């Protein structure tokens, strides 16, 4: 699709190049009088100062958003479609109680085609409002609901990777969500055939977590993934989220499978003693959510295989799951990107998750505590997410040649943000002042300030201002 060549004006913030997490600070690109040129192919033709805009771009249409900001679209690496209406559901307990009392019954309603269609519209609307241009979406158990999700996502112009939520075992409250292993594999094959590899849509294999399946299901999923991973199919699930002694998810998994580590169940080592029972599900397009309570060996194995972590500090606070150790996890070499985890996460806006991320890691005990630089937070919400999705060469920052996935931030639409940006004290040196401005932008950003959402050069949402 051809687009009108456009030069967007505003204060540009992104993480340039392909740095490691530790290199995000040095890679921070801040251009106060910025120009971002988007060609007819929807790709970035120029990113730099307006004063040095190339002559051949001088007659392009100008969209002047000054004194606003231009930042990359947010990339959410873990969000639940069938929990669209479950935000702030009170379950009277931690993860397993919350699932049984709130989530399984709520997700069962998606068997109703009309209800699922309504939820898909709401889900995409919330993503647009929050500037989430790309997402790894934990899907519904029901094929018609998944069809609605993909159809509405494409109509909205949003990048979506999703897969039906696979459950072959579970409590009575999850009865409507369960299939046999054979049915699960058949439904996954059809979803891949129908939706994978499209312009904006891709498919993942998504067992809810190891306690929602058994060894036969894991073996069958491993065999299927061996067939389709070469086609770019993804794998997504949960790992080491809640470790309440004796009754939490981690201990329950270790007991149920008789394995040495939770990760082993996804690594084909799901038989007692972590014996090999099938092919691994780990790899470059595998994303595991939470990873709060990982051992060093698990982190090393994820780094070795290229498996990424979706870090969800907001939902970890909501369910009392603990805090993923920032320093130790990053030092392992694993890619860590942010996820909202809607609905245990009660924020759709990824910068609100970054806000919680800053706070929880400041509060880690002793030497583990870290004050994250705003560039590290922006990296985790944008480029790291693209890397986790194995799409870093396509989007995630404003490097020339990438698709133009961006947000226009209009502070005047949000009085609290505008006041903070205008009146806050700033350091005398430019580097510190830049970091302070970005920090305020991320911490105070709310949905009303996101005036325009652009995906692959196409304006998919715009609010008059």
């Amino acid at each position: 699709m051809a687009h009108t060549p456009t030069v967007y004006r505003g204060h540009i913030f992104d993480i340039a190049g392909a740095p490691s997490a530790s290199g995000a600070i040095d890679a921070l690109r801040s251009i106060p009088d910025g120009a971002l040129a988007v060609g007819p192919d929807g790709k970035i033709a120029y990113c730099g100062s307006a004063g040095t805009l190339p002559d051949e771009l001088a007659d392009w249409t100008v969209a002047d958003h000054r004194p606003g900001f231009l930042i990359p679209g947010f990339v959410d690496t873990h969000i639940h479609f069938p929990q669209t209406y479950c935000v702030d559901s009170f379950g009277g307990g931690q993860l397993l109680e919350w699932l049984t009392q709130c989530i399984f019954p709520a997700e069962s309603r998606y068997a109703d085609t009309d209800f699922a269609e309504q939820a898909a519209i709401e889900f995409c609307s919330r993503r647009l409002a929050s500037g989430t241009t790309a997402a790894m979406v934990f899907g519904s158990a029901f094929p018609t609901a998944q069809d609605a999700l993909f159809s509405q996502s494409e109509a909205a112009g949003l990048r979506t990777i999703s897969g039906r939520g696979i459950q072959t075992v579970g409590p009575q409250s999850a009865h409507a969500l369960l299939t046999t292993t054979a049915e699960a594999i058949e439904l996954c094959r059809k979803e891949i055939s129908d939706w994978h590899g499209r312009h904006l849509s891709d498919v993942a294999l998504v067992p809810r977590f190891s306690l929602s399946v058994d060894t036969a299901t894991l073996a069958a999923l491993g065999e299927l993934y061996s067939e389709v991973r070469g086609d770019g199919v993804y794998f997504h699930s949960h790992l080491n989220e809640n470790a309440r002694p004796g009754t939490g998810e981690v201990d329950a998994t270790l007991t149920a499978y008789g394995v040495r580590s939770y990760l082993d169940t996804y690594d084909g080592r799901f038989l007692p003693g972590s014996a090999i029972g099938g092919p691994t599900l780990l790899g470059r397009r595998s994303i595991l959510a939470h990873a709060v309570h990982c051992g060093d060996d698990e982190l090393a194995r994820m780094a070795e295989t290229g498996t990424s972590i979706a870090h969800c500090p907001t939902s970890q606070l909501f369910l009392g799951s603990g805090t993923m150790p920032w320093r130790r996890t990053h030092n392992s070499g694993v890619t860590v990107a942010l996820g909202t985890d809607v609905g245990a996460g009660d924020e759709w806006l990824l910068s609100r998750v970054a806000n919680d991320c800053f706070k929880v890691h400041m509060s880690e005990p002793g030497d583990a505590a870290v004050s994250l630089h705003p560039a590290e937070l922006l990296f985790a919400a944008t480029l790291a997410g693209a890397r986790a999705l194995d799409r870093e060469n396509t989007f995630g920052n404003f490097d020339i040649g990438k698709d133009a996935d961006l947000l226009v931030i209009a502070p005047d639409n949000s009085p609290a943000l505008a006041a903070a940006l205008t009146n806050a004290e700033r350091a005398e040196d430019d580097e510190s002042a830049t970091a302070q401005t970005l920090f305020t932008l991320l911490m105070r950003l709310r949905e009303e300030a996101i005036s325009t959402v652009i995906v692959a050069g196409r304006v998919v949402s715009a609010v008059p201002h």
Side-chain angles (χ1 to χ4, degrees):
M1 177 185 298
H3 307 276
T4 301
T6 302
V7 176
Y8 293 91
R9 297 289 305 278
H11 187 155
I12 290 171
F13 275 122
D14 77 328
I15 306 300
S20 64
S22 62
I25 299 172
D26 292 336
L28 176 62
R29 176 162 45 194
S30 172
I31 309 172
D33 186 21
L36 187 70
V38 179
D41 57 357
K43 297 185 182 298
I44 295 167
Y46 173 80
C47 177
S49 171
T52 56
L53 184 72
D55 291 341
E56 62 269 23
L57 309 181
D59 61 348
W60 286 15
T61 297
V62 174
D64 194 342
H65 296 285
R66 294 175 295 173
F69 298 85
L70 310 176
I71 66 173
F74 291 132
V75 182
D76 189 341
T77 56
H78 183 59
I79 183 171
H80 290 255
F81 163 52
Q83 294 175 24
T84 297
Y85 301 118
C86 294
V87 173
D88 290 318
S89 294
F90 178 65
Q94 295 185 340
L95 175 64
L96 297 185
E97 294 92 344
W98 181 76
L99 287 172
T100 299
Q101 297 177 38
C102 299
I103 299 308
F104 294 151
E107 292 191 2
S108 298
R109 296 183 66 191
Y110 283 63
D112 182 320
T113 301
D114 291 339
F115 180 84
E117 185 77 20
Q118 170 190 318
I121 294 170
E122 175 68 15
F123 183 80
C124 293
S125 176
R126 296 301 304 147
R127 280 187 58 188
L128 283 170
S130 303
T132 301
T133 54
M136 171 63 80
V137 180
F138 193 106
S140 169
F142 304 106
T144 53
Q146 282 298 97
D147 289 343
L149 169 66
F150 280 118
S151 295
Q152 290 297 332
S153 296
E154 290 190 354
L158 296 171
R159 301 184 190 273
T160 296
I161 302 165
S162 185
R164 64 175 305 272
I166 300 165
Q167 292 186 248
T168 55
V169 299
Q172 180 59 36
S173 61
H175 178 75
L177 307 174
L178 305 184
T179 66
T180 66
T181 292
E183 289 170 333
I185 297 302
E186 180 181 355
L187 290 171
C188 289
R189 287 188 183 279
K190 186 175 189 309
E191 188 170 35
I192 292 168
S193 174
D194 289 347
W195 293 107
H196 184 66
R198 296 160 67 102
H199 173 52
L200 295 173
S201 301
D202 281 302
V203 172
L205 300 181
V206 187
R208 181 182 294 278
F209 59 166
S210 294
L211 292 175
S212 71
V213 294
D214 57 20
T215 55
T217 309
L218 286 172
L221 285 172
E223 291 169 1
L224 175 58
Y225 200 43
S226 294
E227 293 179 31
V228 299
R229 83 162 63 225
D231 298 323
V233 172
Y234 292 79
F235 174 76
H236 187 49
S237 194
H238 298 82
L239 175 72
N240 286 327
E241 180 177 0
N242 188 287
R244 184 172 54 185
T247 59
E249 169 217 16
V250 176
D251 280 357
T253 301
L254 299 182
T255 299
Y257 284 91
V259 291
R260 292 188 294 265
S261 77
Y262 195 146
L263 185 70
D264 282 348
T265 61
Y266 300 131
D267 202 12
R269 298 177 177 275
F270 48 74
L271 299 181
S274 294
I276 295 175
T280 185
L281 292 161
L282 307 182
R284 187 179 178 90
R285 289 200 166 190
S286 299
I287 300 177
L288 296 174
H290 304 297
V292 176
H293 305 285
C294 289
D296 290 343
D297 55 340
E298 291 175 296
L299 292 174
R301 179 59 176 158
M302 282 189 277
E304 176 188 5
T305 57
T307 301
S308 299
I309 291 172
H311 178 33
C312 308
T314 301
S315 75
Q316 286 149 26
L317 287 168
F318 182 80
L319 291 174
S321 297
T323 300
M324 184 202 80
W326 183 272
R327 292 185 190 275
R328 185 166 70 88
T329 304
H330 276 83
N331 288 344
S332 72
V334 178
T335 294
V336 178
L338 291 181
T340 60
D341 195 26
V342 164
D346 59 354
E347 295 284 357
W348 291 81
L349 181 59
L350 206 60
S351 60
R352 300 300 299 151
V353 178
N355 185 302
D356 284 335
C357 186
F358 178 81
K359 293 171 183 174
V360 298
H361 296 300
M362 277 280 282
S363 302
E364 288 192 60
D367 292 340
V370 56
S371 176
L372 294 174
H373 191 280
E376 295 174 298
L377 298 174
L378 181 62
F379 174 78
T382 58
L383 187 59
R387 183 173 297 169
L389 298 180
D390 197 27
R391 299 295 302 278
E392 185 177 6
N393 291 332
T394 306
F395 55 85
N397 63 14
F398 296 147
D399 288 355
I400 292 174
K402 288 190 178 182
D403 285 0
D405 288 13
L406 68 134
L407 310 179
V408 177
I409 310 299
D412 288 347
N413 290 2
S414 177
L417 174 61
L421 288 168
T422 301
N423 298 308
E425 290 293 323
R426 292 287 179 256
E428 293 184 2
D429 67 285
D430 289 343
E431 183 176 340
S432 296
T434 294
Q436 290 169 335
T437 297
L438 176 58
F439 189 72
T440 300
L441 179 65
L442 292 174
M443 295 298 103
R444 296 299 307 165
L445 181 63
R446 301 296 187 272
E447 283 89 345
E448 63 265 22
I450 300 174
S451 66
T452 308
V453 179
I454 297 168
V455 178
R458 175 191 170 199
V459 175
V460 296
S461 177
V463 178
H465 64 287

